[in-house]
Amino acid sequence: WISPEQLEGGPVDARSDLYALGCVFYFALAGLPPFSGKSANEILQAHLAGHATPLSTLRPEIPPALSRWVGDLIARAAEARPVDAIAALQALDAISGVRQAPTQRLAPPAEFLADEETGRIDVGFLSSSPAAGGEEPKPLRPWKPAMIAAAAALLAVLGGAFLFFQKPAEPVFRIHGSNTIGSKLAPSLVEGYLASKGHREILVRSTPQSVEREVEFTDARNGRRSRVEIHAHGSRTAFSGLRDQRCDLGMSSSPVKDSEAGSLAGTGLGDMRSPACEHVAGLDGLAILVHPSNPVAELDRKTVAAIFEGKTTDWSEVGRPRPGPIRLHARDANSGTFDSFQSMVLGAAKLSPSAVRYEDSTELSRAVAADPDAIGFAGLPYILDCKALAIGDGESPAQIPSRFTVATEDYALSRRLYFYTPESNSHPWTRDFLDFVAGSEGQDIVSREGFVKQTPAVQPGLLPARAPERYKQLLEGAERVSLNVRFTPDGSQPDTKAQRDLARLVELMALPENRGREIVLVGFHEDTGTPGGDLAASLHSAATVAAELERRGLQARHVEGFGSSLPVASNSDEAGRRKNRRVEIWIRNPASSTARIAP
């Protein structure tokens, strides 16, 4: 019953338990395991392949909804399974054919299993009320005894009993905004933060609205049950929530807009664009998703825009041999994902009214994966069973969204994930929480949840064939650090993220394997039509970063500028120009360098 992520050595959570339980359900209903083989190794390989014969094929008398439910439990990707045991039970209840009374009877507090290290437990609710109105219960169908036995196994896996805690009156802090962040990442960050502070019995409770979560815990200081509120109704609700004092922390998958910042200007919350208010939690790439069988491999940004505007309507227009209508799937208007798509792809254009809209990225991804003619967009963790296209922009080559191309923000549709606070953030919980998020533990959680952490990594540099010869000579044998320094809109200083990244670079260079290695700073600028001015501006940017590093005790050995020679985005809008205005960071051994130091 082992889950694929356990075999691969990846992170595991409650969804791995649900996978194992799905195998139990399958065995109870079909009479044979979903994944089998002649040896242990063959069985493990079958789990990794993830191709189980559908229950509906083996047992056609089983209701299709139940077969699909078991299939969801044993999905190859953890993200495609129910989010937790409560969600699984609610789905099972909906298809079980047992009529419920209007109220639910909750099992009393009982013994439960807790993780000794983190204090986390899993909790659920058992609907046990008899049918209302004195009706006789319906006779069990042939598949129901097995289903009930498997449901009993579910209870055993979860600890043998269900624990109910009285809901605390007020949350210790409230986080509102982006569904991209709030669906999985924010609850995991809160869990990790609470565990790091020694709080116990941590659980994530879902409300009837799937975009709302509560993380409950026992406060280590006073033994009381407390909670953190997470409402993920879209990035726009982050700023309205801060303005109306409905939340203490806003989460957004796009930077604050001028209109949003303006609406908060007179409220005493401060300038949302300032480092005191804006905090980058991690990075994400906006992936353009198609069905895995679609032969189209890459598109440029303008073509993607034409598709979602409704100007390009057939796949034959973008190179697919088989014609077919392009069916559009998009996030809802409140979503920061849609805001990012609007700003990075559509610009001033409007989304086609034919697009199907979704509040949840997982639902969108599943819909695209089920339709060979579909196209949609979502964050990296929601690629799931779809294919992500390589995306180009202007003169920049098409790139597939990867952890490295998103970390450097060179991928055309990369984006930052933000938390926003009032400028005078006196809330002790949120200050402490943001410090945790920015640190190594928090960034590891960002990575575990499928996003891209900001902790810098080093990999061999891939020198573009179109790069200037001087660039190739300077960086031959060097390794590239997975961060680029970008600047405030006026270009005068490194932006909010870069300030923290430079501190992370100091930590990277202090590692034993990097001591004595040289730092190479390579500046670029957008194309303004004046090559000499662009070259001077790119060198000035690199020199600015060198001065910032020197203040932190690091000296750059090589500082050079290359003007507008290697754009990573189009210069047609301000967002693209800001991407092109950057400083790359490389490191190399002294012996491999013969380059001179730029004056």
Side-chain angles (χ1 to χ4, degrees):
W1 314 131
I2 191 169
S3 67
E5 58 267 22
Q6 288 173 286
L7 284 171
E8 294 172 329
V12 298
D13 55 23
R15 293 171 295 182
S16 298
D17 291 335
L18 292 176
Y19 177 93
L21 197 71
C23 293
V24 174
F25 268 85
Y26 189 106
F27 184 80
L29 292 166
L32 51 86
F35 306 106
S36 58
K38 297 179 181 179
S39 65
N41 185 61
E42 286 186 6
I43 294 172
L44 299 181
Q45 291 301 319
H47 278 279
L48 288 172
H51 303 305
T53 302
L55 265 177
S56 56
T57 301
L58 298 174
R59 293 286 301 276
E61 72 275 18
I62 294 174
L66 180 60
S67 297
R68 289 193 296 270
W69 183 81
V70 175
D72 286 344
L73 290 184
I74 61 172
R76 173 65 173 80
E79 294 84 0
R81 301 171 206 150
V83 66
D84 54 27
I86 294 174
L89 280 170
Q90 289 172 340
L92 178 62
D93 184 60
I95 64 176
S96 67
V98 177
R99 296 186 181 180
Q100 301 285 338
T103 60
Q104 290 185 326
R105 189 176 301 157
L106 300 176
E111 182 180 354
F112 59 91
L113 294 180
D115 187 304
E116 290 297 328
E117 183 176 346
T118 66
R120 174 178 176 173
I121 65 170
D122 288 306
V123 66
F125 301 102
L126 178 59
S127 301
S128 58
S129 301
E135 295 183 10
E136 291 294 323
K138 295 181 179 180
L140 290 176
R141 296 176 181 147
W143 49 269
K144 279 198 172 181
M147 188 187 75
I148 293 170
L154 176 58
L155 305 189
V157 168
L158 296 178
F162 288 86
L163 181 67
F164 174 71
F165 291 105
Q166 192 69 28
K167 187 175 181 179
E170 291 295 331
V172 293
F173 66 100
R174 303 158 298 171
I175 311 175
H176 290 189
S178 164
N179 174 261
T180 298
I181 304 172
S183 177
K184 297 176 183 177
L185 178 57
S188 294
L189 287 169
V190 170
E191 282 187 86
Y193 163 68
L194 294 172
S196 74
K197 296 299 179 182
H199 302 298
R200 307 292 294 174
E201 291 90 54
I202 304 167
L203 64 97
V204 178
R205 190 194 298 277
S206 300
T207 69
Q209 293 178 279
S210 63
V211 296
E212 295 184 0
R213 303 277 190 274
E214 288 180 349
V215 184
E216 295 187 8
F217 64 100
T218 298
D219 195 314
R221 300 168 301 177
N222 53 33
R224 296 175 184 169
R225 289 300 289 172
S226 300
R227 65 187 172 107
V228 178
E229 176 185 284
I230 303 173
H231 288 183
H233 291 280
S235 293
R236 292 183 185 178
T237 62
F239 304 105
S240 61
L242 287 170
R243 181 193 62 217
D244 301 334
Q245 298 184 359
R246 293 193 303 269
C247 69
D248 308 293
L249 195 64
M251 47 188 176
S252 178
S253 53
S254 58
V256 60
K257 297 178 179 178
D258 290 342
S259 59
E260 292 164 336
S263 71
L264 299 176
T267 62
L269 296 175
D271 181 2
M272 288 290 117
R273 303 181 193 86
S274 70
C277 297
E278 186 178 78
H279 315 270
V280 178
L283 297 160
D284 187 22
L286 201 60
I288 304 301
L289 308 178
V290 297
H291 190 274
S293 68
N294 196 321
V296 175
E298 65 178 60
L299 295 172
D300 62 38
R301 190 166 62 109
K302 288 185 177 180
T303 302
V304 174
I307 289 172
F308 280 89
E309 285 179 66
K311 293 180 178 178
T312 301
T313 59
D314 195 281
W315 282 107
S316 60
E317 299 177 65
V318 293
R320 193 178 80 174
R322 180 179 63 82
I326 300 176
R327 286 191 274 271
L328 306 178
H329 299 261
R331 286 294 309 278
D332 66 300
N334 280 332
S335 143
T337 300
F338 180 72
D339 280 345
S340 296
F341 186 80
Q342 181 76 54
S343 63
M344 290 191 291
V345 178
L346 291 176
K350 293 183 178 180
L351 178 71
S352 167
S354 68
V356 181
R357 309 297 293 270
Y358 300 83
E359 188 178 28
D360 183 74
S361 292
T362 300
E363 292 180 15
L364 182 151
S365 182
R366 287 176 175 170
V368 173
D371 183 356
D373 290 327
I375 188 170
F377 56 86
L380 287 187
Y382 303 99
I383 295 174
L384 304 181
D385 295 325
C386 299
K387 181 173 81 172
L389 299 179
I391 303 298
D393 187 17
E395 297 179 8
S396 66
Q399 297 188 64
I400 290 177
S402 70
R403 290 188 176 275
F404 199 89
T405 60
V406 170
T408 59
E409 301 180 89
D410 287 349
Y411 172 60
L413 303 183
S414 60
R415 61 175 176 171
R416 300 174 178 185
L417 305 177
Y418 298 91
F419 283 120
Y420 285 92
T421 61
E423 189 170 23
S424 56
N425 182 21
S426 58
H427 197 301
W429 285 89
T430 58
R431 284 204 317 267
D432 213 23
F433 172 69
L434 289 171
D435 286 342
F436 173 83
V437 171
S440 59
E441 284 186 82
Q443 290 301 298
D444 285 345
I445 292 173
V446 169
S447 179
R448 189 182 74 206
E449 290 299 328
F451 296 100
V452 177
K453 64 181 180 181
Q454 300 173 87
T455 308
V458 179
Q459 76 170 33
L462 299 176
L463 303 179
R466 61 196 179 97
E469 285 305 312
R470 171 62 184 159
Y471 179 90
K472 296 177 183 177
Q473 293 169 5
L474 177 66
L475 299 173
E476 183 179 1
E479 293 182 303
R480 189 171 175 189
V481 180
S482 64
L483 61 87
N484 282 345
V485 175
R486 287 184 166 84
F487 296 82
T488 53
D490 63 5
S492 62
Q493 59 184 346
D495 65 14
T496 301
K497 180 181 183 308
Q499 294 289 344
R500 186 72 191 228
D501 281 344
L502 293 176
R504 294 184 175 110
L505 181 63
V506 173
E507 296 174 1
L508 178 74
M509 296 306 295
L511 296 176
E513 61 267 29
N514 293 326
R515 289 174 185 165
R517 304 187 77 187
E518 297 178 343
I519 296 175
V520 182
L521 301 178
V522 180
F524 292 94
H525 200 256
E526 74 267 31
D527 186 355
T528 64
T530 55
D534 295 342
L535 182 63
S538 67
L539 180 58
H540 176 74
S541 294
T544 299
V545 175
E548 290 286 341
L549 287 177
E550 191 167 355
R551 289 177 50 226
R552 293 166 170 81
L554 282 182
Q555 184 173 11
R557 180 71 177 85
H558 305 279
V559 180
E560 293 205 19
F562 288 89
S564 59
S565 59
L566 287 177
V568 294
S570 170
N571 279 296
S572 61
D573 56 47
E574 179 56 28
R577 290 190 288 271
R578 284 192 66 183
K579 272 183 173 286
N580 289 331
R581 200 181 309 148
R582 70 197 189 277
V583 175
E584 296 178 354
I585 301 175
W586 298 68
I587 57 177
R588 64 182 303 158
N589 295 322
S592 64
S593 173
T594 57
R596 66 177 177 83
I597 303 175

